[in-house]
Amino acid sequence: MRKDNQSSVSEFLLLGLPIWMKNQDIYYTLFLVMYLTTVLGNLLIILLIRVDSHLHTPMYFFLSHLAFSDVSFSSVTVPKMLTNMQTQSQSISYAGCISQVYCVLLFGGLDSFLLTSMAYDRYVAICHPLHYITIMNQNLCFLLVTVSWVLSCTSALLHTLLLVSLSFCGENTLPHFFCDLSTLLKLSSSDTTVNEWVILIEGSVATTLPFICILVSYGHIGSTILRVPSTKGIYKAFSTCGSHLSVVSLYYGAIIGLYFFPSSNNSNDKDVIVSLLYTLVSPMLNPFIYSLRNRDMKGVLVNILSRGKFSPR
């Protein structure tokens, strides 16, 4: 909890999405359907991986954690946004706002590290297929997921502790639908130099470095695929990476648009829309990408539906 002399603000006002009031009911229904689809789709992925032994592989192990992260990521922001749209209440408590910042940073960072682990898994599977079982053993998979969680928690906690040390006096209106860290820093009456430097340095580690690792992995994968003499082999290799590449493009495309091409000081609308893309749209599309483009997932789903009940094989 913050001390009273650190901040005179007990709550913040979230302005929400830049949409006309008369269209709010339409958008509320749309976003509610999208959120429910996100939750049900990702939980279905977790369930399919859990109940079918054929999906007990490193790739699907990482995917189950990614699905959980996506559900959590959306659940941190979207329910509050929908509640505010329905009740016309824009307030969020100081503690609620700080908690939201922590969770957004936690699951956003976790997505980045998990996508990197999945890229490494694809790299080993395609570039070193004979050693895949030896390299991607159970211990390494658990280690990669554990490190992803630890790094994400540590990063989120660092930003949160620096945030609660700031003072917020007077202005408490956030032109956003959730408590975004960079937007909160603009409202602070304290010096935010340290916070901004930490964001720059930590952002390089938690976002830029994983993205570079993914690019390097797929650079090696592409080089290996091009040396395959068989067209069928090339197609098979691309099909195993297509789903992951699609998710990576959605996730990092939104982040690049938000942080490398920010909107002007006069308009925050683009930033809000892009934030909606990676907090709701991307997590919603991930289950469709992995189920529609993945033969194993489709096969398991068809088998379960044909049996009419969920039971392990």
Side-chain angles (χ1 to χ4, degrees):
M1 295 297 291
R2 74 195 190 286
K3 299 178 181 178
D4 291 337
N5 62 356
Q6 287 181 313
S7 174
S8 60
V9 172
S10 61
E11 65 178 19
F12 293 97
L13 298 179
L14 300 172
L15 295 186
L17 297 169
I19 56 178
W20 292 101
M21 185 67 68
K22 63 180 181 180
N23 296 328
Q24 280 220 350
D25 289 341
I26 298 175
Y27 282 103
Y28 174 83
T29 303
L30 174 63
F31 294 141
L32 177 61
V33 171
M34 292 173 67
Y35 174 67
L36 293 177
T37 303
T38 299
V39 173
L40 295 176
N42 282 286
L43 290 181
L44 178 62
I45 284 182
I46 296 173
L47 183 62
L48 292 178
I49 294 173
R50 177 69 181 85
V51 302
D52 195 282
S53 60
H54 293 92
L55 300 182
H56 293 175
T57 63
M59 183 64 179
Y60 294 109
F61 175 70
F62 295 132
L63 178 57
S64 64
H65 282 269
L66 181 66
F68 173 79
S69 179
D70 283 340
V71 170
S72 304
F73 198 18
S74 291
S75 297
V76 168
T77 58
V78 178
K80 178 61 178 175
M81 178 189 74
L82 294 173
T83 301
N84 289 355
M85 292 176 68
Q86 186 69 11
T87 63
Q88 303 300 318
S89 172
Q90 299 175 316
S91 65
I92 182 172
S93 67
Y94 178 89
C97 190
I98 298 300
S99 299
Q100 195 177 64
V101 169
Y102 174 79
C103 291
V104 167
L105 294 174
L106 167 62
F107 293 113
L110 184 59
D111 268 10
S112 180
F113 290 122
L114 288 175
L115 288 173
T116 306
S117 298
M118 294 170 76
Y120 178 70
D121 174 79
R122 292 299 85 198
Y123 160 75
V124 176
I126 293 176
C127 299
H128 304 283
L130 298 180
H131 304 286
Y132 178 76
I133 296 178
T134 304
I135 296 175
M136 297 303 299
N137 56 68
Q138 189 178 58
N139 291 334
L140 179 61
C141 292
F142 276 113
L143 177 63
L144 289 174
V145 169
T146 301
V147 170
S148 297
W149 275 97
V150 171
L151 290 178
S152 301
C153 290
T154 303
S155 172
L157 182 61
L158 175 61
H159 286 296
T160 304
L161 291 176
L162 289 173
L163 179 63
V164 298
S165 68
L166 301 177
S167 297
F168 294 90
C169 302
E171 182 63 39
N172 68 336
T173 302
L174 293 170
H176 221 296
F177 65 92
F178 70 91
C179 291
D180 177 63
L181 177 60
S182 59
T183 308
L184 279 168
L185 293 182
K186 294 176 183 178
L187 291 184
S188 176
S189 54
S190 305
D191 183 10
T192 60
T193 303
V194 175
N195 301 70
E196 291 167 357
W197 271 107
V198 171
I199 289 175
L200 179 63
I201 297 172
E202 187 276 333
S204 300
V205 176
T207 304
T208 307
L209 186 59
F211 184 54
I212 292 175
C213 291
I214 291 174
L215 291 180
V216 171
S217 295
Y218 275 100
H220 285 289
I221 289 173
S223 176
T224 300
I225 290 176
L226 293 177
R227 292 199 297 268
V228 176
S230 168
T231 304
K232 183 179 179 180
I234 293 176
Y235 173 78
K236 183 179 180 180
F238 271 119
S239 66
T240 62
C241 299
S243 300
H244 183 250
L245 270 175
S246 301
V247 173
V248 168
S249 300
L250 277 173
Y251 179 79
Y252 283 102
I255 290 179
I256 291 172
L258 182 62
Y259 293 104
F260 288 87
F261 302 98
S263 59
S264 64
N265 294 329
N266 298 327
S267 175
N268 195 59
D269 291 355
K270 193 204 73 159
D271 291 350
V272 175
I273 297 301
V274 174
S275 296
L276 184 67
L277 180 64
Y278 74 79
T279 57
L280 180 58
V281 178
S282 180
M284 180 194 70
L285 293 178
N286 287 356
F288 292 100
I289 292 173
Y290 280 108
S291 61
L292 295 178
R293 293 181 59 91
N294 190 295
R295 185 179 303 172
D296 293 335
M297 293 291 291
K298 286 190 291 186
V300 172
L301 182 58
V302 170
N303 289 338
I304 290 177
L305 292 177
S306 65
R307 289 202 303 261
K309 62 179 181 179
F310 292 92
S311 59
R313 291 186 174 186

